[in-house]
């Protein structure tokens, strides 16, 4: 019997994981990646002894990671050297007041009661809701592959309307637990992981602050890129072939099937199955001939983008914890500006990551490695945004916020700066509109309503990654890979 061949376009986490699954099942798998390294947006930059994760910097939802590594025949805690991060975040507000999110319930009680007397019982009830939302959602939504409308809109799923509050707004739902707007912000900012505004997100996403505190935020020694390297090791041991620095120009289709791919140099590669891990809107726009479907894809809601600064500095800034988040009191205006105006807010909320607090090898001795992330709107269709101006204003806002912690000399100790703007994300990783989280996760783009993992016309063309089900994120990319593998093997 002839061994079926698969070409995977893109070596992001979804592509690597799917390739490993397929190879383990006896298929001959080749992964074509345009960049010199695997990982996609979960990339790594190293310069002058400083090491930066370009994508996610938090290892969250560890139970999901554990499940997916196990499905590949690997023990997560053997392939990754994980340490728990607690407090998970150091939150800083406009007046300099602070809230450290921690699994230490006594410390949480003291802090929350200082912000809002009587708020701790509300917090416990919110965690209880998050517990329900997490476990029901993972079992009945995340881990299921909805291939038909009937599977999604069935009577058996009707209880989900009451179990996970998909019709309730996340921020408005917070009124049931807290009065203080800073506490409401402290337990909804995680919606940004899905590229969403808490003022548009489903109350279902209370599952995120719950899993962070209940299951922990973790850090793999060596950085988040260790996840990519662990998956690469599994894939290579399964026999997957990787080809780097090679761009796919188009997917070769004929009638109702895909025959393979055409590379940028004109070379044609044939395969029985094509699996695209490139950004889904990019695949429809640039690799396939059907412009109607491409136009429909561009009309969907896209997630926000970010400006990321990567700084090597010649002294340590111990005032910064591993994960510091500055939350502006103009919380709603922040998100309205990002989602509606496609711009950067005045007094933007922003995040700083100091990986050397967790792993000294991320910077030379006596120095520091810093990553600053400012959420902004994605690129507009007419490219009217002046990214140089936005970059400079974002840098000023970061420096202004650092002054709240007594850090006023960053510029004097800066060895170098690298910056990713929405245009960078688009150019480096083919992310349409520079949207760092792919298609957003509003109600009409979840479950069966999210783009299918198989093309509607070409029966052997499949998709994996952030813009397919179950959605964006490193562990969910691995879930997406397992689900699409099951579909390929069953079709």
């Amino acid at each position: 019997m002839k061994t079926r061949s698969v070409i995977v376009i893109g070596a992001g986490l979804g592509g690597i994981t799917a390739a490993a699954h397929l190879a383990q099942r006896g298929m001959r798998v080749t992964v074509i990646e345009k960049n010199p390294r695997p990982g996609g947006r979960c990339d790594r930059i190293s310069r002058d002894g400083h090491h930066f994760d370009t994508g996610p910097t938090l290892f969250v939802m560890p139970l999901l990671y554990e499940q997916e590594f196990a499905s590949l025949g690997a023990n997560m805690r053997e392939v990754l050297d994980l340490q728990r991060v607690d407090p998970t975040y150091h939150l800083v507000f406009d007046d300099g007041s602070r809230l450290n999110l921690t699994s230490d319930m006594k410390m949480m009680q003291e802090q929350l009661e200082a912000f809002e007397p009587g708020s701790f019982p509300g917090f416990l009830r919110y965690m209880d809701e998050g517990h329900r939302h997490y476990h029901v959602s993972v079992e009945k939504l995340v881990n299921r592959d909805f291939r038909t409308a009937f599977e999604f809109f069935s009577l058996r799923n009707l209880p989900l309307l009451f179990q996970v509050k998909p019709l309730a707004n996340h921020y408005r739902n917070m009124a049931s637990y807290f009065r203080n707007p800073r506490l409401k912000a402290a337990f909804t900012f995680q919606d940004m992981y899905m590229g969403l505004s808490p003022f548009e997100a489903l109350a279902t996403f209370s599952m995120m602050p719950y899993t962070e505190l209940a299951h922990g935020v973790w850090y793999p020694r060596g950085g988040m890129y260790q996840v990519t390297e662990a998956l690469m090791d599994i894939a290579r041991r399964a026999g997957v072939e990787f080809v780097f620095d090679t761009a796919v120009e188009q997917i070769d289709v004929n009638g109702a099937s895909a025959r393979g791919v055409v590379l940028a140099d004109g070379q044609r590669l044939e395969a029985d199955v094509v699996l695209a891990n490139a950004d889904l809107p990019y695949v429809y726009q640039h690799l396939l001939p059907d412009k109607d479907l491409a136009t429909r894809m561009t009309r969907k809601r896209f997630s926000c983008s970010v400006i990321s600064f990567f700084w090597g500095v010649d002294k340590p800034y111990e005032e910064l914890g591993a994960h510091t988040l500055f939350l502006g009191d103009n919380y709603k205006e922040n998100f309205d500006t990002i989602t509606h105006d496609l711009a950067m807010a005045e007094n933007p909320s922003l995040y700083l990551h100091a990986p050397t607090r967790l792993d000294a090898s991320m910077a030379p001795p006596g120095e520091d490695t810093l990553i600053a992330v400012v959420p902004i709107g994605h690129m507009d269709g007419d490219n009217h945004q002046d990214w140089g101006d936005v970059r400079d204003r974002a840098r000023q806002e970061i420096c202004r916020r650092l002054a709240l912690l007594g850090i006023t000399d960053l510029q004097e100790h800066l060895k170098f700066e690298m910056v990713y703007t929405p245009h960078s994300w688009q150019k480096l990783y083919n992310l349409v509109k520079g949207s760092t989280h792919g298609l957003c996760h509003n109600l009409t783009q979840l479950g069966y309503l999210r783009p299918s993992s198989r093309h509607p016309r070409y029966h052997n063309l499949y998709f994996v990654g952030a813009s397919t089900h179950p959605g964006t994120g490193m562990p969910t990319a691995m879930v997406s890979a397992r689900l699409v593998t099951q579909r390929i093997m069953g079709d």
Side-chain angles (χ1 to χ4, degrees):
M1 181 176 172
K2 177 177 176 284
T3 301
R4 295 172 73 196
S5 60
V6 184
I7 289 177
V8 180
I9 305 170
L13 259 63
I16 301 168
T17 306
H21 277 299
L22 292 165
Q24 288 178 348
R25 285 158 177 76
M27 302 187 84
R28 181 164 50 85
V29 186
T30 303
V31 180
I32 310 294
E33 167 58 48
K34 81 177 190 75
N35 288 326
R37 295 176 305 278
R41 70 199 83 181
C42 303
D43 205 349
R44 158 68 61 88
I45 305 172
S46 295
R47 179 172 170 181
D48 298 342
H50 298 266
H51 307 289
F52 306 87
D53 288 309
T54 62
T57 55
L58 302 113
F59 189 97
V60 297
M61 304 182 82
L63 301 185
L64 211 53
Y65 275 108
E66 195 165 35
Q67 165 190 293
E68 296 310 314
F69 272 109
S71 74
L72 289 164
N75 184 316
M76 176 185 77
R77 296 188 182 273
E78 290 179 0
V79 298
L80 296 172
D81 183 6
L82 295 171
Q83 58 178 312
R84 187 160 184 169
V85 183
D86 200 326
T88 55
Y89 304 93
H90 300 272
L91 305 184
V92 184
F93 299 99
D94 283 347
D95 61 359
S97 60
R98 305 184 192 186
L99 173 63
N100 295 331
L101 298 186
T102 173
S103 58
D104 182 331
M105 289 297 102
K106 188 175 186 303
M107 186 180 296
M108 279 297 287
Q109 182 174 10
E110 292 172 356
Q111 293 183 95
L112 294 175
E113 292 293 329
F115 274 87
E116 179 186 321
S119 61
F120 187 65
F123 165 74
L124 294 179
R125 287 187 293 108
Y126 182 62
M127 288 294 100
D128 185 59
E129 177 184 275
H131 172 273
R132 183 178 71 251
H133 287 180
Y134 176 87
H135 289 283
V136 173
S137 295
V138 168
E139 177 189 353
K140 298 188 176 181
L141 293 173
V142 174
N143 275 323
R144 289 189 61 196
D145 183 12
F146 300 100
R147 302 185 188 183
T148 66
F150 176 77
E151 289 179 356
F152 188 61
F153 297 106
S154 64
L155 287 176
R156 64 181 289 197
N157 282 343
L158 192 60
L160 293 177
L161 293 174
F162 311 98
Q163 293 171 338
V164 299
K165 295 187 176 180
L167 302 181
N169 174 275
H170 195 183
Y171 191 85
R172 283 198 299 271
N173 187 56
M174 297 304 293
S176 301
Y177 306 103
F178 304 110
R179 295 188 308 276
N180 188 298
R182 288 179 173 175
L183 294 188
K184 293 179 182 179
F187 297 105
T188 57
F189 73 82
Q190 296 87 348
D191 294 340
M192 286 301 293
Y193 299 164
M194 277 72 69
L196 271 178
S197 161
F199 299 91
E200 297 180 320
L202 285 58
T204 310
F205 292 131
S206 63
M207 62 187 282
M208 295 308 300
Y210 161 76
T211 186
E212 289 179 346
L213 293 177
H215 306 145
V217 169
W218 300 76
Y219 186 79
R221 293 190 189 278
M224 291 295 290
Y225 197 69
Q226 293 302 308
V227 178
T228 300
E229 294 190 333
L231 290 171
M232 284 292 293
D233 182 60
I234 293 169
R236 283 184 165 132
R237 282 191 284 108
V240 177
E241 178 188 1
F242 288 88
V243 180
F244 295 102
D245 291 306
T246 303
V248 171
E249 188 74 20
Q250 70 181 71
I251 297 171
D252 185 16
V253 295
N254 180 42
S257 66
R259 297 183 295 194
V261 300
V262 180
L263 304 182
D265 63 4
Q267 182 183 0
R268 292 178 180 270
L269 301 178
E270 294 185 353
D272 298 307
V273 174
V274 176
L275 174 60
N277 181 220
D279 186 41
L280 187 62
Y282 176 86
V283 174
Y284 274 94
Q285 283 184 31
H286 298 282
L287 303 186
L288 289 169
D290 193 326
K291 298 309 174 189
D292 288 339
L293 285 175
T295 300
R296 265 187 269 168
M297 189 66 64
T298 59
R299 289 175 182 156
K300 292 185 179 293
R301 284 283 305 278
F302 284 72
S303 66
C304 67
S305 188
V306 298
I307 288 187
S308 295
F309 294 86
F310 306 99
W311 289 323
V313 291
D314 64 10
K315 62 172 277 191
Y317 286 95
E318 300 296 343
E319 303 93 328
L320 285 170
H323 304 290
T324 303
L325 193 71
F326 295 88
L327 289 176
D329 286 337
N330 58 333
Y331 192 59
K332 186 175 189 303
E333 289 78 7
N334 254 274
F335 287 103
D336 286 347
T337 302
I338 292 168
T339 57
H340 302 312
D341 301 335
L342 302 182
M344 187 184 82
E346 299 295 329
N347 189 38
S349 294
L350 52 92
Y351 162 75
L352 274 107
H353 175 46
T356 51
R357 301 302 165 275
L358 305 169
D359 185 348
S361 70
M362 301 301 278
E367 300 185 0
D368 223 344
T369 292
L370 301 177
I371 301 171
V373 180
V374 183
I376 58 172
H378 61 65
M379 300 169 71
D380 63 29
D382 299 319
N383 200 24
H384 287 148
Q385 295 111 316
D386 182 344
W387 298 119
D389 175 67
V390 176
R391 176 202 62 212
D392 293 344
R393 289 193 294 114
R395 188 190 299 106
Q396 290 171 5
E397 288 293 337
I398 295 166
C399 291
R400 181 176 67 81
R401 296 311 241 305
L402 286 174
L404 291 172
L405 304 181
I407 298 173
T408 58
D409 61 349
L410 179 69
Q411 298 282 357
E412 299 163 29
H413 294 277
L414 202 62
K415 293 169 60 181
F416 63 83
E417 172 186 273
M418 297 176 288
V419 186
Y420 281 10
T421 68
H423 184 262
S424 309
W425 297 111
Q426 182 185 57
K427 181 179 180 181
L428 289 169
Y429 307 110
N430 289 339
L431 302 181
V432 173
K433 301 186 179 183
S435 293
T436 47
H437 302 78
L439 298 177
C440 79
H441 296 70
N442 57 345
L443 183 59
T444 59
Q445 292 182 176
L446 287 176
Y448 173 74
L449 301 175
R450 206 159 179 80
S452 173
S453 60
R454 190 174 80 168
H455 194 278
R457 179 180 305 157
Y458 311 118
H459 64 86
N460 61 338
L461 172 58
Y462 299 86
F463 309 105
V464 63
S467 293
T468 58
H469 176 72
T472 194
M474 293 175 70
T476 45
M478 296 173 70
V479 174
S480 172
R482 174 172 52 82
L483 294 177
V484 77
T485 297
Q486 292 169 354
R487 190 165 193 176
I488 291 170
M489 298 306 296
D491 285 350

